[in-house]
Amino acid sequence: VPAVECQQVSITYPDGFTAVQDIDLAVAPGEIVALLGPSGSGKSTLLRGLAGLERITSGRVLMDDVVVDGPGVIPRPVHQRGCGMVFQDGQLFPHRTVGRNIAYGLEAAGVPKPERRERVAQMLQLVSLEGFENRPVTTLSGGQGQRVALARSLAPRPKLLLLDEPLSALDRDLRERLAVDIRQILTSTSIAAVFVTHDHDEAATVADRIVTIDAGRIITA
Ligand code: ADP
Ligand code: ADP
């Protein structure tokens, strides 16, 4: 069964504007899908709908064959959907060290301290930041910050990772390198992912499959 599936999903904002319309999309376990489209095409809205940050107006969202939002369903809240998220600007907790940022979801899940330490070290190795545990996040470069954000989102071992333009605040060279690294990291963890971007090259580097969205609708090739 798909890790996540949208069936005829539409999202209309309270002002009446329909940002995404009739979306059918299924992401297989371990599959990396890029959601590609210009600014304002509805990518973030759809991603937030998958995460549970936005209620869908019609259609259904299923995760592992369970309806998490749809008609007659109490929408499953963000923290119960088991998905990790990475945003454009990382949104790291500024007063926590790198290690305690990565441990955040593990603390919330009640993972005991020795295991948290171990997992943090594994995650730092995964994103090539060994030894960064005690660094204040304010001392990180943009690329390092996004690696930490990725490590934090992966630490609780989510089944699905949602990435909303995670590279778009970085400069061109760094973007290309990090795109390659992100693909490698996601592939090595076998996690299903939806990667939102407006950059075709980036989508092609990161994803197994590109889904193009324009004006709220999926464009079929
Ligand atoms: P993208 O991620 O592709 O840039 P968004 O999903 O952010 O697109 O936005 C899609 C469209 O929905 C845009 O026209 C945007 O202005 C509109 N939109 C986003 N959020 C809201 C909101 N809260 N209320 C009304 N319209 C919104
Ligand atoms: P991004 O595209 O990076 O998500 P935006 O600047 O488009 O950022 O949107 C920032 C915030 O404003 C988002 O929370 C979005 O939902 C909201 N927003 C965007 N467009 C509108 C709109 N037309 N009406 C109300 N809120 C909007």
Side-chain angles (χ1 to χ4, degrees):
V1 307
V4 65
E5 186 175 6
C6 295
Q7 297 174 347
Q8 287 292 300
V9 166
S10 298
I11 300 176
T12 300
Y13 282 112
D15 66 0
F17 182 77
T18 298
V20 303
Q21 202 158 3
D22 302 332
I23 301 288
D24 284 313
L25 175 68
V27 181
E31 189 184 24
I32 308 168
V33 170
L35 199 56
L36 174 70
S39 180
S41 56
K43 306 182 297 296
S44 290
T45 301
L46 181 58
L47 204 71
R48 291 205 303 266
L50 299 181
L53 295 167
E54 207 77 67
R55 184 85 211 258
I56 66 170
T57 315
S58 61
R60 305 201 302 170
V61 177
L62 294 85
M63 286 181 175
D64 274 338
D65 243 4
V66 175
V67 180
V68 296
D69 198 359
V73 171
I74 296 167
R76 186 179 293 201
V78 185
H79 61 277
Q80 286 173 19
R81 291 198 187 188
C83 36
M85 294 200 74
V86 180
F87 301 95
Q88 182 173 328
D89 63 354
Q91 300 188 353
L92 298 174
F93 306 113
H95 303 300
R96 286 178 168 239
T97 59
V98 166
R100 293 199 61 237
N101 263 276
I102 297 173
Y104 180 79
L106 304 174
E107 287 172 22
V111 174
K113 191 162 186 169
E115 204 182 321
R116 289 205 304 264
R117 284 245 170 88
E118 172 70 27
R119 193 89 66 87
V120 166
Q122 279 173 11
M123 289 300 118
L124 284 172
Q125 192 173 28
L126 186 68
V127 299
S128 307
L129 289 176
E130 292 94 334
F132 274 62
E133 280 89 343
N134 298 319
R135 288 275 293 268
V137 296
T138 47
T139 66
L140 301 176
S141 70
Q144 289 169 341
Q146 289 305 75
R147 286 176 192 271
V148 173
L150 190 62
R152 181 179 60 182
S153 69
L154 291 172
R157 301 198 174 122
K159 287 187 177 156
L160 175 68
L161 188 65
L162 305 173
L163 306 104
D164 195 353
E165 308 237 14
L167 303 178
S168 60
L170 307 174
D171 59 36
R172 177 103 215 147
D173 283 357
L174 188 57
R175 233 160 46 214
E176 284 174 12
R177 266 184 294 140
L178 205 46
V180 171
D181 290 352
I182 286 180
R183 170 158 186 87
Q184 207 247 314
I185 290 164
L186 295 179
T187 308
S188 73
T189 51
S190 307
I191 191 174
V194 181
F195 181 93
V196 162
T197 181
H198 59 265
D199 184 313
H200 181 274
D201 292 344
E202 200 175 287
T205 299
V206 172
D208 300 316
R209 177 159 66 96
I210 297 177
V211 172
T212 306
I213 183 168
D214 193 20
R217 290 176 180 274
I218 287 176
I219 311 294
T220 38

